[in-house]
Amino acid sequence: MTSAIGVFGGTFDPIHLGHLQAVTEAADVLGLERVHWVLSARPPHKNSVSASIAHRFAMLQLALADKVGFVADDREIRRAEKSYTIDTVASFVAEYPNVRLVLIIGADSLSGLPSWSRYETLVEQVSWVVLQRPGYAVSVPDELQARVVENPSDLVRREPGHLWLYEDSNIDISSTEIRTALSTGHEKLAQEYLPSSVLNYIRTKQLYKIPGMNPEQIKDQVVDALENVKGQDIKVIDIADISDFADFMIVVSGTSDTHVKALAREASDSLRKQGVKPLNEDGADVGEWVLVDFGDVVLHVMRPEVRQYYDLEKLWDEDVRALVKQHRAREEE
């Protein structure tokens, strides 16, 4: 064998930094010439995915655009039927007859490997790298125990059919966790674990959204947005039990008129991407105090001196809340 190339398949729904770091490190250790990232377009072992084939492949291309030696491979997209790994490997063998193939899989796939189509043939055709998530034990099927090698150098020296367990990656995240964060409006986790180009694509195409957002989700999304542009002294006040117009009021300080406007704009833009449009926005033309009404959540962005003068938090402190509750109770008698 003159060289070795890697093949890493997945639904990439979406592709994230955990994928990129682990495969990059494993490829460097093994000295792989390149790695083909094969989108599992119609995976037989998964019932559904959240984004379309076109969107998932577009995100894969964006994530790999500046990665030397990484190829976004569409061969399973072009195959109309279910995507079986044995067929994908056969296509690589035909294309690269004198190259060692190293198939990279996640640890969660290893335990189910014996159930894959034409498993016995597949095992013998390639060398295997198993990516292990931090803190998760790898379950090696009994029939594969004798094939595990301790040193990565042994993997490419020996004949195909051996496995190496790669355990050095330190990013513990899954695509499921990222989809959940995106669908519930918690973009902070997504910002931490997604390439910026992928996150921008998701935002633009409005992927992984759930219909509507409840008050708690709107509140969390507003707070995340304010933190992203360094809002100061963010105060969330739960007014659901004493207010007819909202469940939460959020007060935050900006260091200047420009900062105040930027905070309000970031909150509004963030919610618009989730399908929530402000009902009203006042004060953006001046910048000392901007009020944004999201219906169940009301946001006040203020200069520190303005906030101190009006002291909105005082208007909703425990004493006032108690008086409002007493008044309501008397009206209901």
Side-chain angles (χ1 to χ4, degrees), residues 111 113-115 119-120 123 140-147 161 163:
S111 60
L113 192 56
S115 69
Y119 153 74
E120 295 85 356
V123 167
V140 181
D142 292 341
E143 58 265 49
L144 297 178
Q145 291 282 352
R147 296 176 179 268
L163 295 86

Side-chain angles (χ1 to χ4, degrees), residues 29-268:
V29 170
L30 293 169
L32 300 181
E33 181 180 315
R34 64 184 175 278
V35 177
H36 287 254
W37 294 62
V38 180
L39 183 77
S40 299
R42 303 165 190 88
H45 292 282
K46 289 196 175 184
N47 293 325
S48 64
V49 288
S50 297
S52 69
I53 293 172
H55 283 318
R56 286 185 285 126
F57 192 67
M59 290 187 283
L60 182 63
Q61 290 177 304
L62 287 169
L64 303 184
D66 61 347
K67 308 296 182 186
V68 177
F70 283 177
V71 180
D73 195 305
D74 67 348
R75 69 186 63 216
E76 290 193 5
I77 298 175
R78 290 182 275 113
R79 188 184 306 142
E81 61 274 11
K82 287 277 189 179
S83 303
Y84 290 99
T85 303
I86 185 73
D87 299 321
T88 298
V89 167
S91 72
F92 275 104
V93 170
E95 187 174 351
Y96 305 103
N98 299 313
V99 175
R100 168 68 64 91
L101 293 180
V102 178
L103 195 63
I104 305 170
I105 64 173
D108 54 344
S109 298
L110 180 61
S111 60
L113 192 56
S115 69
W116 289 18
S117 177
R118 297 168 60 193
Y119 153 74
E120 295 85 356
T121 302
L122 176 61
V123 167
E124 301 291 349
Q125 287 186 323
V126 298
S127 300
W128 297 79
V129 174
V130 181
L131 305 178
Q132 179 179 353
R133 283 180 65 187
Y136 292 79
V138 174
S139 176
V140 181
D142 292 341
E143 58 265 49
L144 297 178
Q145 291 282 352
R147 296 176 179 268
V148 177
V149 300
E150 295 295 326
N151 299 312
S153 58
D154 292 334
L155 188 70
V156 291
R157 268 205 309 264
R158 297 187 183 184
E159 67 277 6
H162 288 83
L163 295 86
W164 173 51
L165 308 181
Y166 178 68
E167 306 178 38
D168 290 342
S169 178
N170 59 11
I171 293 184
D172 181 14
I173 193 64
S174 72
S175 294
T176 300
E177 292 171 292
I178 292 175
R179 289 197 304 271
T180 299
L182 289 166
S183 68
T184 55
H186 294 81
E187 278 203 8
K188 184 175 292 186
L189 183 142
Q191 289 169 345
E192 183 176 357
Y193 290 111
L194 288 178
S196 58
S197 58
V198 172
L199 180 57
N200 289 337
Y201 183 89
I202 289 170
R203 286 170 168 168
T204 301
K205 302 299 182 181
Q206 299 188 41
L207 304 182
Y208 308 114
K209 287 179 56 179
I210 56 175
M213 294 179 72
N214 63 41
E216 189 79 25
Q217 292 167 341
I218 295 173
K219 177 259 296 180
D220 290 343
Q221 181 75 17
V222 170
V223 170
D224 284 348
L226 297 174
E227 290 176 343
N228 287 342
V229 284
K230 296 181 171 52
Q232 297 188 348
D233 192 17
I234 301 170
K235 181 69 176 293
V236 177
I237 306 171
D238 187 340
I239 58 176
D241 57 344
I242 59 171
S243 169
D244 294 324
F245 65 86
D247 287 357
F248 295 100
M249 184 173 73
I250 301 174
V251 186
V252 61
S253 297
T255 57
S256 65
D257 290 353
T258 300
H259 191 208
V260 167
K261 294 177 184 178
L263 287 163
R265 184 169 56 251
E266 180 72 12
S268 295

